[in-house]
Amino acid sequence: MCIRDRVSTQSTWGLSGTHIFYMVVGFIGLLLYYPVSTLIFPNFQFNDKALDLKYDSTFVVLTFQMNLIITAISILLAPENPTDLTSVYVTLGANCILLLILAFSSLLVKPACLIKKVDQWERLGYLIAAWTNGCGLLVVFTQSSLEIYIILAL
């Protein structure tokens, strides 16, 4: 009997009781690990003497949370069908809103970075990323890119 024949005749899919147990234990471990690592990690930057740019701990936690949400939205709402534009609207719109929140949160946390010029450049980067997502949303919504290129050039 060939190995290929043996594998093709056996069932390779199924969640038994042990699989569900391992999933639950892994999820509980993630729930215990993630908050602790999120709150402890920003404090490591002050221990590193070679690090030139140091940010406020609140801003670092907020940035990591927003990046996690943006990544989760982009992965979980990825369209299965290329003609399905609903998930594209939601993904681009949510990314635009979250990037604007990051840009304006750097205004609220005084100073987000210890070097003020870096705050301005970082804020500008978030605004450019939000602008690009907004223009992408308009391109998908209008199904015509010429007008959007004109708006983007302004």
Side-chain angles (χ1 to χ4, degrees):
M1 180 180 220
C2 181
I3 293 176
R4 186 182 68 197
D5 294 335
R6 182 186 296 165
V7 171
S8 65
T9 59
Q10 291 179 349
S11 173
T12 57
W13 175 259
L15 289 176
S16 66
T18 57
H19 290 117
I20 294 173
F21 172 74
Y22 289 140
M23 287 170 49
V24 169
V25 169
F27 186 70
I28 290 171
L30 182 66
L31 287 177
L32 294 174
Y33 167 77
Y34 186 74
V36 173
S37 69
T38 302
L39 295 175
I40 290 177
F41 178 73
N43 296 324
F44 289 145
Q45 68 180 338
F46 295 108
N47 295 337
D48 189 2
K49 302 299 180 199
L51 194 61
D52 292 331
L53 298 176
K54 296 183 180 181
Y55 291 89
D56 182 56
S57 298
T58 306
F59 183 73
V60 173
V61 169
L62 181 67
T63 303
F64 283 156
Q65 300 306 316
M66 291 295 182
N67 287 336
L68 176 72
I69 292 170
I70 288 172
T71 304
I73 287 172
S74 299
I75 291 172
L76 296 176
L77 295 179
E80 294 177 11
N81 185 1
T83 59
D84 180 27
L85 296 178
T86 306
S87 60
V88 175
Y89 294 146
V90 172
T91 302
L92 288 173
N95 287 350
C96 186
I97 290 169
L98 291 172
L99 287 165
L100 286 173
I101 290 172
L102 276 174
F104 291 114
S105 69
S106 67
L107 286 172
L108 299 176
V109 178
K110 299 282 185 183
C113 181
L114 298 178
I115 302 171
K116 292 187 186 279
K117 286 285 185 192
V118 174
D119 279 342
Q120 296 170 356
W121 286 106
E122 188 160 7
R123 192 175 311 120
L124 181 65
Y126 288 134
L127 289 174
I128 289 172
W131 176 261
T132 306
N133 274 292
C135 288
L137 185 62
L138 287 175
V139 166
V140 172
F141 184 71
T142 61
Q143 298 293 324
S144 172
S145 61
L146 180 62
E147 295 87 7
I148 303 308
Y149 288 134
I150 294 170
I151 292 172
L152 187 59
L154 298 175

